[in-house]
Amino acid sequence: MFQWSVGLSESERAVKNVANLINLRKGDLPFDRDLGINPDYVDKPISELSSDIITELEDMIGEREPRVRVSVELADVLNAESILEVTVTNV
C-alpha cells in the first residue's frame, strides 16, 4: 500500500523525487508521456546502451529536479547484469 512521506526535509524530498524519476518509464504518466526512461533499454546489453542511459538519466534529472546534482556511473556487473549507481548531491 502506498504511503505519503510526511515530515521530510527539503533535501530528503529532492532525493525522493530523483528516485521517482529513475523508476518512471516513458509513457507511464498520461499527461507527460515523454517523462521517464526509454523502455527499449530493458532488453539491450549494457555495453550497447550504457552511455545512452547515463546521458538520458542525467539530463532528465537535471531538468526535472534542479535542486540536486547527479552523477550516474556504471558501478558493477553481476552475472552479466549491470548496476547503475546514481549519486545525488544537494545544490
Side-chain angles (χ1 to χ4, degrees):
M1 177 182 212
F2 179 79
Q3 255 186 332
W4 288 102
S5 300
V6 293
L8 296 178
S9 69
E10 187 77 14
S11 61
E12 290 170 328
R13 281 194 308 247
V15 169
K16 185 169 177 79
N17 288 344
V18 169
N20 290 338
L21 287 169
I22 291 170
N23 289 311
L24 280 175
R25 287 177 297 160
K26 284 192 178 186
D28 279 352
L29 294 175
F31 296 105
D32 197 352
R33 298 253 181 227
D34 288 334
L35 180 61
I37 301 301
N38 187 341
D40 294 338
Y41 292 153
V42 173
D43 294 328
K44 289 188 179 179
I46 195 70
S47 60
E48 290 181 21
L49 60 87
S50 62
S51 65
D52 295 338
I53 196 168
I54 288 171
T55 302
E56 187 171 322
L57 279 169
E58 288 176 343
D59 290 347
M60 178 182 61
I61 294 168
E63 179 183 317
R64 298 295 180 134
E65 188 49 77
R67 296 178 290 182
V68 299
R69 282 193 206 133
V70 294
S71 171
V72 182
E73 298 175 4
L74 184 61
D76 200 0
V77 178
L78 296 171
N79 302 325
E81 293 183 15
S82 297
I83 299 170
L84 290 174
E85 182 175 293
V86 179
T87 305
V88 178
T89 307
N90 288 333
V91 176

